[in-house]
Amino acid sequence: MYLLLRRDLIVKTIYHIMNCPGHTKGGEFTRSTREMPASTDTTSEMLAVVKTGPGPENVLVQPMPVPEAGEGMTRVRVLAAGICGTDVHIARDEYRYEAPVILGHEILGMAEAADAEPQRVTVETYFSTCGRCDWCRDGRPNLCPSRRSIGSFENGGFASYVVVPAHNLHPLPDFLDDIEGVLSEPLACVTHCLLDPPVVSAGDRVLVTGPGTIGQLAAQVARAAGGLVTLAGLPKDSSRLDIARSLGIETTTGLPEAEAFDVVVECSGSAPGAAAALRAARRGGRYVQVGIFGKDVTLPIDLVLYKELVVTSGFASTPSSWRRALALIEQKLVTLSPLVTRRADIRDWPSAFEAAASGEGLKTVIVPE
């Protein structure tokens, strides 16, 4: 028997542009056709990718004021910002946001503080939480109903500058190259799912479905925890799977063996991938949902009952998952650089977003002006 899993999609939109430039009927990402205003003060404005209203046609590149940092905040000069599947879901109104807002939450940048030298940092995604609800008081701010995050409810990193709480900044080790630190945030999301608490023990057979960036990171984290990992994809994923194999991870494009894995980690965000993972889990095993479906899906959920599966997940990241992610980086237990397969100028965001939405390559990053 199949059960239809429902997820309410509540999109709060507050926007002021009724006839947005760049609008198309086809719902594709488009470049704004309005002429950029001339300005002699190059420090007062920056180009940014902005979600201005409903639909992907209302994701536009346009001038925005350069932000100033207030008390307790730090301005970060963005070096690169990764395009996440969540950004695509926001563009399609499949994930909560408040418009107008600058997209982008996977940020690598230089922290600018008046009393310190500029420092290369990565950025936690929280902007604010209430601090009073049960979840905040339990140390789970990611579940705060009033949580506001950059790139969805507060301006994010697809721009030259972003302002964030100073305590959300993490220095990066010098041995990382000029771009790979952008993967710190998705790595923190993966460690939240797999290491807080640990779900993989040494010797566990682990199946990861979906060879995108998150799947690649999940495979590496599961291996670091002692798992015997197989990363599963489709024949069209051959180039992605080649990267995983180059990192020593076993891969497959076939249907995973039924009831063969102690832990299955679903990273594809697709109903077929999730169904395959549920069938591949051993009796008494564990199913971990990492990917976002973005819509209602139908799954063989009775398998959870029949096989007494433990089902867990993790939403976004927490301070502890960030500590674990940065520890994995410091100890060189994960390899990040091969996962960045494309860099795009901010003016080329339409093609970059389309590449990310279609699953082209692995991580595409936006580089500001």
Side-chain angles (χ1 to χ4, degrees):
M1 179 176 136
Y2 287 75
L3 177 66
L4 183 65
L5 302 183
R6 295 195 54 81
R7 184 155 64 89
D8 292 336
L9 301 175
I10 304 171
V11 179
K12 177 183 176 186
T13 57
I14 304 171
Y15 63 100
H16 309 287
I17 303 174
M18 300 303 296
N19 296 306
C20 295
H23 175 81
T24 67
K25 299 296 184 182
E28 298 298 319
F29 299 110
T30 60
R31 186 188 305 278
S32 172
T33 56
R34 73 177 175 184
E35 189 173 324
M36 300 297 179
S39 173
T40 56
D41 182 2
T42 58
T43 64
S44 63
E45 288 188 337
M46 59 183 183
L47 286 181
V49 178
V50 186
K51 174 72 167 171
T52 64
E57 66 271 19
N58 284 322
V59 181
L60 308 173
V61 61
Q62 62 185 44
M64 293 288 285
V66 173
E68 297 294 333
E71 183 177 355
M73 310 295 284
T74 298
R75 187 168 74 177
V76 175
R77 177 170 60 85
V78 179
L79 301 176
I83 300 177
C84 175
T86 302
D87 296 312
V88 177
H89 286 302
I90 291 173
R92 294 171 173 170
D93 303 331
E94 298 170 345
Y95 188 94
R96 295 175 62 235
Y97 67 94
E98 184 177 287
V101 66
I102 299 174
L103 299 181
H105 59 273
E106 299 178 358
I107 298 172
L108 171 67
M110 297 294 291
E112 297 182 344
D115 57 349
E117 290 293 319
Q119 187 176 34
R120 190 172 64 157
V121 296
T122 184
V123 181
E124 290 188 33
T125 57
Y126 303 121
F127 193 88
S128 64
T129 59
C130 75
R132 301 182 301 274
C133 68
D134 291 344
W135 299 277
C136 283
R137 291 172 62 83
D138 285 344
R140 305 176 75 184
N142 58 312
L143 299 182
C144 174
S146 301
R147 171 189 169 191
R148 296 179 67 86
S149 296
I150 58 174
S152 52
F153 284 83
E154 301 288 343
N155 284 334
F158 291 156
S160 298
Y161 293 93
V162 62
V163 168
V164 296
H167 62 258
N168 281 3
L169 302 179
H170 295 281
L172 288 169
D174 292 337
F175 65 78
L176 290 181
D177 69 21
D178 63 343
I179 205 79
E180 60 187 325
V182 78
L183 292 170
S184 302
E185 190 276 339
L187 179 61
C189 294
V190 168
T191 59
H192 180 47
C193 291
L194 299 187
L195 301 182
D196 280 333
V199 300
V200 176
S201 299
D204 279 350
R205 290 194 66 189
V206 180
L207 174 70
V208 179
T209 54
T213 306
I214 290 292
Q216 302 265 349
L217 291 171
Q220 292 193 48
V221 171
R223 182 175 62 180
L228 307 174
V229 181
T230 300
L231 179 59
L234 301 174
K236 68 178 184 179
D237 296 318
S238 59
S239 61
R240 291 174 159 190
L241 295 171
D242 285 345
I243 292 174
R245 281 194 295 273
S246 74
L247 300 176
I249 295 170
E250 183 178 335
T251 67
T252 182
T253 57
L255 187 66
E257 182 182 353
E259 300 194 10
F261 295 89
D262 303 287
V263 182
V264 294
V265 185
E266 206 302 293
C267 297
S268 73
S270 71
L278 285 166
R279 294 188 175 99
R282 292 183 63 188
R283 296 167 187 256
R286 180 182 290 266
Y287 175 96
V288 185
Q289 185 63 47
V290 181
I292 296 177
F293 297 108
K295 58 185 177 183
D296 298 344
V297 295
T298 300
L299 295 177
I301 206 71
D302 279 353
L303 291 177
V304 173
L305 181 152
Y306 296 147
K307 296 197 285 187
E308 293 190 5
L309 301 179
V310 176
V311 178
T312 59
S313 188
F315 176 55
S317 58
T318 63
S320 62
S321 71
W322 271 90
R323 288 194 295 272
R324 298 186 196 286
L326 293 169
L328 290 172
I329 292 173
E330 288 278 2
Q331 297 175 53
K332 300 183 179 181
L333 293 174
V334 291
T335 302
L336 304 179
S337 185
L339 307 187
V340 178
T341 54
R342 178 174 177 175
R343 307 184 193 195
D345 183 271
I346 195 167
R347 295 178 184 273
D348 295 329
W349 67 268
S351 62
F353 266 50
E354 287 297 338
S358 65
E360 178 184 316
L362 287 173
K363 180 59 64 177
T364 296
V365 300
I366 296 290
V367 179
E369 288 188 307

